[in-house]
Amino acid sequence: MPGSTIYEELGVPSVVNATGTKTRIGGSRIRPEAREAMDRAAEAFVRLSDLQARASDLVADATGADAGYVTCGVASALALGTAACIAGDDLGAMARLPDTEGLADEVVMARTHRTGYDHAVRASGARIVDVGTNDRHLGTGSRNVEPWEYADAITEDTAAVAYVAKPYTEPDLKTVCAIAHDEGVPVVVDAAAELPPATNLERFTDAGADLVAFSGGKAIRGPQTTGILAGRADLVSSVAAQHLDMHAAESVWEPPTSLLDPDELGGVPRQGIGRPMKVGKEELVGLISALKAFVAEDHDALGEEWLARSERVADALDSVPGVETTITATDKTAVAPEVAATVDGDAAGVTATEVVAGLRREEPRVFVGADSLPEGFTVNPMCLTDDETDYVIDRLRAHFDT
Ligand SMILES: *Cc1c(COP(=O)(O)O)cnc(C)c1O
């Protein structure tokens, strides 16, 4: 394995990432231009509200939304976005969250959209109201959630509808937005990993979403602790009021009015529910710079590169007895074409679980995708260099003893 890492210097095994942009093994590689920008950001001071106001314009340009905000990830964007839907421009409500007594605090969500990340929605003080079933898998032809079930669940206690954007989620976002908007309720969309294609930056806003969240630490390749929230200016303003550290002498409080209007707020917000989700100037600048580079990137060329890497891995695995591979289409569950390998343990002399676990115990640790265990594993090219791809092929072959 070429080169040694700072993690090894610290006595911590580093990871060769063959499973894509996963938080638990470090997200993605920050783009060189973003790293340079972060370095420069660290050299000087800036008022964070000014920087967020500028970021808002840039995120708005990139997404077609009215406004934007940089959060410390999508999980934080979901917490802040939900808090904005609950509190609006009410300073008192902002100060009381996560205590929601007397406030509309329900978030309507399809059962089949629930993920571990909805803890972040609840962290705002919201209560999730589930709708629909998981009937699709019964084979009766019935769907998981009918549009009328959303309408039925929305009441005067509803603060928002939460929607997780994945190729498999239903009903389509446009339908859900139309229903929610009929009732005057905003829709918050988790689109954390739905990039590329870059056209998805606009897609969910175009479909009617009031707030959309993207991870900064996945394909955008900004700092791991960043995310984007894009959407309605009034909601973004509420996010800013609940996130920024502004508790200051009112007589000299002059926030950027494009982001925060003191007349509308009627006073200086106290430290809000977002204060534990701080975003530093370096991360903010890193994300802005990474987003610019992501928008300008040739995603077709990148897709070709990923495909070539996946094909190289698949070719190597296909010659292993008991292993069969396919390359998944980009529009399935992953944004990159990845290798899906199935392992016949008897023919291969080793099971997929043994191979995946064995790779993780090495130094450096090699992480391949484990979601399809025990039948097989996946290799995702997004976070691999060419040298690392060769290394992964070599280590896979060693575990299959070929
Ligand atoms: C990655 C992910 C998140 C969390 O994003 P962070 O930016 O790491 O907070 C939330 N939802 C989905 C669907 C994700 O894939």
Side-chain angles (χ1 to χ4, degrees), residues 23 72-76 78 117 164 166 190 192-193 215-216 218 224 226:
T23 293
C72 60
V74 162
S76 127
L78 295 174
Y117 300 107
V164 178
K166 279 280 165 194
D190 173 353
S215 276
K218 293 180 179 169
Q224 196 187 355
T226 57

Side-chain angles (χ1 to χ4, degrees), residues 54-245:
R54 180 71 184 124
S56 178
D57 293 342
L58 295 168
V59 170
D61 285 348
T63 59
D66 291 339
Y69 200 81
V70 178
T71 67
C72 60
V74 162
S76 127
L78 295 174
L80 289 167
T82 308
C85 293
I86 294 172
D89 62 0
D90 181 340
L91 275 190
M94 291 177 195
R96 290 196 302 277
L97 288 186
D99 178 355
T100 59
E101 211 181 311
L103 300 169
D105 65 351
E106 292 182 358
V107 172
V108 173
M109 242 184 133
R111 269 197 174 75
T112 43
H113 290 217
R114 296 292 300 269
T115 71
Y117 300 107
D118 55 41
H119 200 133
V121 171
R122 290 188 289 118
S124 67
R127 287 181 299 134
I128 294 177
V129 174
D130 291 307
V131 294
T133 61
N134 193 22
D135 271 6
R136 185 140 191 210
H137 300 284
L138 284 180
T140 56
S142 79
R143 297 188 292 183
N144 284 335
V145 54
E146 298 295 339
W148 64 260
E149 292 179 291
Y150 278 98
D152 181 60
I154 294 172
T155 69
E156 60 188 17
D157 293 325
T158 307
V161 170
Y163 187 100
V164 178
K166 279 280 165 194
Y168 57 81
T169 45
E170 52 178 15
D172 67 77
L173 180 59
K174 235 183 186 155
T175 304
V176 174
C177 288
I179 292 166
H181 293 166
D182 261 358
E183 310 284 340
V185 167
V187 178
V188 180
V189 176
D190 173 353
E194 301 315 292
L195 298 172
T199 49
N200 274 3
L201 282 169
E202 296 186 5
R203 182 173 144 206
F204 308 105
T205 299
D206 285 348
D210 299 86
L211 287 172
V212 185
F214 298 102
S215 276
K218 293 180 179 169
I220 291 175
R221 290 178 54 202
Q224 196 187 355
T225 53
T226 57
I228 295 170
L229 193 56
R232 262 167 49 190
D234 62 320
L235 292 173
V236 168
S237 178
S238 177
V239 164
Q242 298 186 74
H243 181 251
L244 289 169
D245 190 320

Side-chain angles (χ1 to χ4, degrees), residues 193 312 375:
R312 209 134 57 82
E375 288 80 20

